[in-house]
Amino acid sequence: MAFRDKYRTVDVLLVDDIQFIAGKMAVQEEFFHTFDTLFKMNKQIILASDCAPKDIDNLEDRLKSRFVMGLVADIQPPDFELRMAIFKRKALDFNLDLDMKILYFLADNITTNVRQIEGALKKLKAHSLITGEKCDYNMAKEELTDFFANAKSEESIIEKIFAFAEKRYGVKIDEMKSARRNAEIIAARHYAIYLIRKTTKLSQKSIAKLFNKKDHTTVINSISFIERKMQNEPAFEREIENVINELHS
């Protein structure tokens, strides 16, 4: 009753990672009635997920149908121009005077995670306050080394994964990213996609884009295929675990 009293009387319901209610039948039942109550009262409902409603497994059809009733928007990572605009806006919010050289440098290097943008500016602001040093290009480059190191580390992991897949299946990277569908290429693609998903922070959409796919159905299928193979083949499961441990190390 406390849940109902709180969430069925709001003007706006905003839920992130709605896919996590999949398979939780009691939660889905409660959310269904909460959704319907708010909808009938013309309240605003906003849901975010890492995949489209139709691709959420173990989610009741009646919820899927309601999730697609409104506007479904596919939000991609910001491009260079949008990152520049975000940096400019956030710099004003933090009262940071950044010249265009610094803004270009930041927008060019922080590309995958919007949260890093705010974190980077907070770090520059803190350093400037503590030391009294003006925020110039050299200071920004030195202070934000760790932000760029993380990005480079993820790129390095992806390169290693492609190398593992190429060696194991005898398939070139370009072939894995192509539309070709012979057995060896499909197997190598499944292998690489699964490892990238398990060892990086890339979303399913981003991984699909990495393999030149229009949507992330290929990613979902690859993960399911590898998980089934691991369940049926203990030796393969151990191999995957060893590769993941090596990549993390």
Side-chain angles (χ1 to χ4, degrees), residues 30-83:
E30 200 61 43
F31 189 81
F32 170 78
H33 293 294
T34 298
F35 186 105
D36 265 15
T37 299
L38 294 173
F39 182 77
K40 289 172 183 176
M41 294 169 62
N42 292 318
K43 302 302 183 181
Q44 183 73 59
I45 303 171
I46 306 164
L47 309 175
S49 173
D50 66 356
C51 58
K54 65 182 178 62
D55 294 324
I56 302 177
D57 295 329
N58 300 316
L59 183 69
E60 291 184 8
D61 288 339
R62 60 180 180 170
L63 280 175
K64 288 185 180 181
S65 66
R66 279 160 176 75
F67 289 178
V68 299
M69 283 166 50
L71 171 66
V72 179
D74 178 15
I75 302 175
Q76 293 293 327
D79 58 18
F80 180 82
E81 288 75 16
L82 182 52
R83 293 198 303 274

Side-chain angles (χ1 to χ4, degrees), residues 5-246:
D5 290 343
K6 179 174 181 178
Y7 290 102
R8 295 187 189 181
T9 57
V10 298
D11 292 319
V12 179
L13 179 66
L14 173 60
V15 184
D16 195 14
D17 289 324
I18 193 65
Q19 74 275 5
F20 288 131
I21 72 171
K24 300 172 182 174
M25 305 314 294
V27 176
Q28 290 187 43
E29 177 73 19
E30 200 61 43
F31 189 81
F32 170 78
H33 293 294
T34 298
F35 186 105
D36 265 15
T37 299
L38 294 173
F39 182 77
K40 289 172 183 176
M41 294 169 62
N42 292 318
K43 302 302 183 181
Q44 183 73 59
I45 303 171
I46 306 164
L47 309 175
S49 173
D50 66 356
C51 58
K54 65 182 178 62
D55 294 324
I56 302 177
D57 295 329
N58 300 316
L59 183 69
E60 291 184 8
D61 288 339
R62 60 180 180 170
L63 280 175
K64 288 185 180 181
S65 66
R66 279 160 176 75
F67 289 178
V68 299
M69 283 166 50
L71 171 66
V72 179
D74 178 15
I75 302 175
Q76 293 293 327
D79 58 18
F80 180 82
E81 288 75 16
L82 182 52
R83 293 198 303 274
M84 280 285 290
I86 294 172
F87 268 118
K88 287 180 181 178
R89 178 67 258 175
K90 290 292 184 181
L92 285 174
D93 292 343
F94 289 126
N95 197 26
L96 263 176
D97 182 19
L98 302 180
D99 62 32
M100 289 304 294
K101 186 176 181 181
I102 298 176
L103 290 170
Y104 273 111
F105 171 71
L106 294 173
D108 194 43
N109 282 279
I110 299 178
T111 61
T112 58
N113 190 338
V114 176
R115 293 184 184 93
Q116 286 184 313
I117 293 176
E118 191 161 296
L121 292 176
K122 284 180 178 178
K123 187 165 187 179
L124 293 179
K125 178 70 173 179
H127 181 83
S128 184
L129 285 173
I130 293 168
T131 65
E133 183 181 350
K134 187 180 185 307
C135 187
D136 59 16
Y137 174 77
N138 290 330
M139 186 266 266
K141 189 173 181 180
E142 182 178 345
E143 280 301 302
L144 298 177
T145 301
D146 56 332
F147 280 88
F148 310 138
N150 289 337
K152 294 297 182 184
S153 176
E154 198 157 83
E155 290 175 10
S156 176
I157 287 174
I158 293 171
E159 288 176 4
K160 288 179 181 178
I161 288 170
F162 277 123
F164 280 132
E166 186 174 343
K167 183 177 180 180
R168 191 184 197 281
Y169 294 96
V171 173
K172 299 293 185 185
I173 295 176
D174 290 344
E175 292 176 313
M176 288 182 235
K177 295 182 177 182
S178 72
R180 295 178 59 190
R181 296 188 54 80
N182 68 44
E184 292 80 7
I185 292 175
I186 291 175
R189 190 181 296 136
H190 286 335
Y191 185 85
I193 287 174
Y194 180 85
L195 290 172
I196 291 171
R197 182 62 172 163
K198 292 299 178 180
T199 59
T200 72
K201 295 180 180 179
L202 264 64
S203 66
Q204 292 180 354
K205 288 284 188 183
S206 297
I207 296 172
K209 191 174 181 181
L210 188 63
F211 284 83
N212 298 317
K213 304 301 178 185
K214 292 182 179 179
D215 60 49
H216 61 295
T217 304
T218 298
V219 176
I220 295 171
N221 292 338
S222 295
I223 293 170
S224 297
F225 176 86
I226 294 295
E227 286 177 345
R228 288 195 301 270
K229 186 175 174 66
M230 289 169 67
Q231 289 175 355
N232 297 327
E233 301 177 26
F236 182 72
E237 182 179 16
R238 288 193 297 273
E239 177 191 335
I240 291 290
E241 289 174 353
N242 290 335
V243 170
I244 290 174
N245 288 336
E246 185 173 341

